Amino acid sequence: MAVTLEQAQRVGYTCLKALLRFAFMVANNLVAIPSYVLYLIMLQPLRVLDSKSFWYIEGVLFKWLLAMVASWGWWAGYTVVEWGDDVKAVSEDEAMVLVNHQATGDVCTLMMCLQDKGTVVRQMMWLMDHIFKYTNFGIVSLIHGDFFIRQGRAHRDHQLVLLKEHLEKYYRSRNRKWIVLFPEGGFLRKRRETSQAFAKKNNLPFLKHVTLPRLGATQVILKTLVAPQENGTPAGRDAVIKESKSKGLQWVIDTTIAYPKGEPIDIQTWILGYRQPTVTHVHYRIFPVKDVPAEPEALTHWLYQRFIEKEDLLTHFYETGAFPPLQGQTKAISREMTLSNLWLVGIQSLAFLSGGMWYCIFQYFYHCLF
């Protein structure tokens, strides 16, 4: 079929836009990430003298870096609409965030929609596949204290021991509040067939939009971060807002990401922006940690129930284009999250100014030495 001039122009414009966006992203990384590292190297004396202030500053810089990633999608028209519970109500408390996993763009989506949730982004810890350690953002995550987990049965037990040690060493010492993990252990397209076979063998529900989660990391996090007297104690759902703050992990935030027509955004699309503007939908349910059982078998059942509910939520979304209302509500209420373009431009400008400053400093010392 012959290509019209208009079609050729559209393709040419898309390719040019993608090339320019990629060039900007590379330049952004080349100035922002080294600047983050160099600022923290210069602040090492503060880390010794006042560790709390050091990690506060690191958290602010970390949030700015994540905002830069969010800006790549925001300026391409990849926005977010939120549903369900308002997580801002628990943004100052410790929480574990359980997320379904469809593509690499899930992480970018979370980086965007959590930007306006108070101090959450700068005080959060991520659990991610070990392969991300070797990406351009790996050095940032290593410094921030995120945990890289190696998948596979052969590594599972050892990784859980390492996770426990990591949490004990870094979570409270760096004043972390939220910890984000993807319990499915991989992308939907890669794990669906295996999960369905396991479900059939064990007489569990057949799931299409999510896979059955793995227990290990969730159990370690709860055992390590929840105050012993809290876990397993009944509490009502109304406690989400009224619950007084207490030491330890207090909430589990069940987060469900849905893409129109079930077509997830990957990191390449996020960077290059060749897909048409897309609204990603994120649904939250908040559970008091007191409602989460501690015993492994009961916890497994509880976790399975969360993903069976995710399946129902996603089925409803794909059929209607909206999530169902929360229990006790007659109508589902959505909230369109927004980012300030002025703020994003300011952060990007600061990154390039920092890059220029470090370049001038290195040039000065180079000329002094040689």
Side-chain angles (χ1 to χ4, degrees):
M1 185 174 69
V3 177
T4 66
L5 178 60
E6 183 180 354
Q7 290 173 327
Q9 289 176 333
R10 189 182 303 116
V11 171
Y13 171 75
T14 301
C15 292
L16 177 61
K17 183 178 72 171
L19 181 62
L20 292 174
R21 283 177 58 88
F22 181 74
F24 175 79
M25 183 275 294
V26 171
N28 199 180
N29 276 266
L30 288 175
V31 296
I33 293 176
S35 293
Y36 166 87
V37 174
L38 291 169
Y39 278 129
L40 295 182
I41 290 175
M42 295 294 292
L43 287 171
Q44 286 305 303
L46 178 64
R47 182 177 181 178
V48 176
L49 297 172
D50 187 352
S51 177
K52 184 176 180 180
S53 295
F54 174 85
W55 289 113
Y56 176 89
I57 295 171
E58 185 279 333
V60 172
L61 295 175
F62 184 79
K63 178 176 180 177
W64 289 354
L65 285 178
L66 266 59
M68 293 177 199
V69 176
S71 71
W72 304 341
W74 181 258
W75 288 334
Y78 305 148
T79 58
V80 172
V81 166
E82 298 176 307
W83 303 75
D85 291 326
D86 185 0
V87 296
K88 288 182 181 179
V90 297
S91 62
E92 297 300 319
D93 299 333
E94 291 189 23
M96 176 174 63
V97 184
L98 307 175
V99 193
N100 62 314
H101 208 9
Q102 301 176 67
T104 48
D106 298 341
V107 174
C108 300
T109 296
L110 290 173
M111 288 180 177
M112 174 187 287
C113 64
L114 296 179
Q115 282 290 323
D116 66 345
K117 306 300 186 293
T119 62
V120 164
V121 174
R122 65 177 177 84
Q123 292 182 288
M124 72 196 314
M125 178 181 286
W126 297 76
L127 265 65
M128 58 188 78
D129 192 279
H130 79 288
I131 196 66
F132 286 101
K133 185 188 298 184
Y134 308 104
T135 65
N136 60 315
F137 212 76
I139 183 64
V140 174
S141 291
L142 281 170
I143 294 173
H144 184 69
D146 296 328
F147 184 76
F148 299 94
I149 191 164
R150 186 182 292 273
Q151 302 293 341
R153 186 174 299 177
H155 307 285
R156 192 170 299 158
D157 291 341
H158 182 57
Q159 290 296 298
L160 295 179
V161 172
L162 293 178
L163 173 59
K164 184 177 187 299
E165 294 174 351
H166 185 89
L167 293 173
E168 291 174 340
K169 185 175 182 180
Y170 297 117
Y171 192 81
R172 298 258 158 69
S173 67
R174 298 186 181 184
N175 195 28
R176 300 296 174 240
K177 293 289 188 180
W178 284 22
I179 183 165
V180 181
L181 69 154
F182 300 90
E184 291 167 295
F187 297 139
L188 174 63
R189 67 179 186 278
K190 293 183 177 181
R191 291 210 60 244
R192 179 160 40 200
E193 186 175 339
T194 302
S195 176
Q196 290 173 346
F198 177 83
K200 183 177 181 181
K201 182 179 179 180
N202 292 275
N203 197 30
L204 294 167
F206 183 85
L207 307 176
K208 295 191 301 180
H209 306 307
V210 295
T211 65
L212 289 170
R214 293 170 176 172
L215 178 66
T218 304
Q219 186 176 30
V220 168
I221 291 168
L222 291 171
K223 281 187 174 181
T224 308
L225 300 182
V226 174
Q229 69 274 15
E230 292 182 2
N231 205 21
T233 304
R237 181 174 175 79
D238 292 340
V240 170
I241 305 301
K242 298 178 181 178
E243 181 82 6
S244 61
K245 294 183 180 180
S246 59
K247 185 178 179 181
L249 198 73
Q250 296 176 64
W251 312 104
V252 175
I253 302 175
D254 186 31
T255 304
T256 305
I257 299 177
Y259 299 94
K261 301 179 181 179
E263 298 175 354
I265 298 176
D266 55 29
I267 188 66
Q268 298 95 320
T269 305
W270 194 270
I271 292 170
L272 300 177
Y274 49 76
R275 182 187 288 193
Q276 292 297 311
T278 301
V279 178
T280 301
H281 297 257
V282 181
H283 184 279
Y284 305 104
R285 285 193 67 196
I286 304 175
F287 296 88
V289 78
K290 292 179 181 181
D291 286 352
V292 182
E295 195 275 325
E297 185 175 346
L299 177 59
T300 300
H301 176 74
W302 185 90
L303 195 58
Y304 280 178
Q305 284 302 118
R306 301 291 74 75
F307 277 77
I308 291 169
E309 290 172 4
K310 286 180 183 292
E311 176 77 11
D312 294 337
L313 286 171
L314 289 168
T315 298
H316 188 280
F317 176 84
Y318 294 138
E319 290 175 353
T320 66
F323 282 112
L326 292 171
Q327 186 175 0
Q329 296 181 351
T330 58
K331 182 180 179 181
I333 300 173
S334 63
R335 305 174 296 275
E336 185 176 350
M337 66 87 50
T338 60
L339 290 175
S340 167
N341 286 315
L342 182 62
W343 181 62
L344 294 176
V345 169
I347 291 174
Q348 295 284 6
S349 300
L350 180 61
F352 284 100
L353 288 172
S354 296
M357 179 193 72
W358 289 115
Y359 176 78
C360 291
I361 291 173
F362 282 121
Q363 284 288 94
Y364 173 77
F365 281 107
Y366 177 83
H367 288 299
C368 288
L369 292 173
F370 302 102

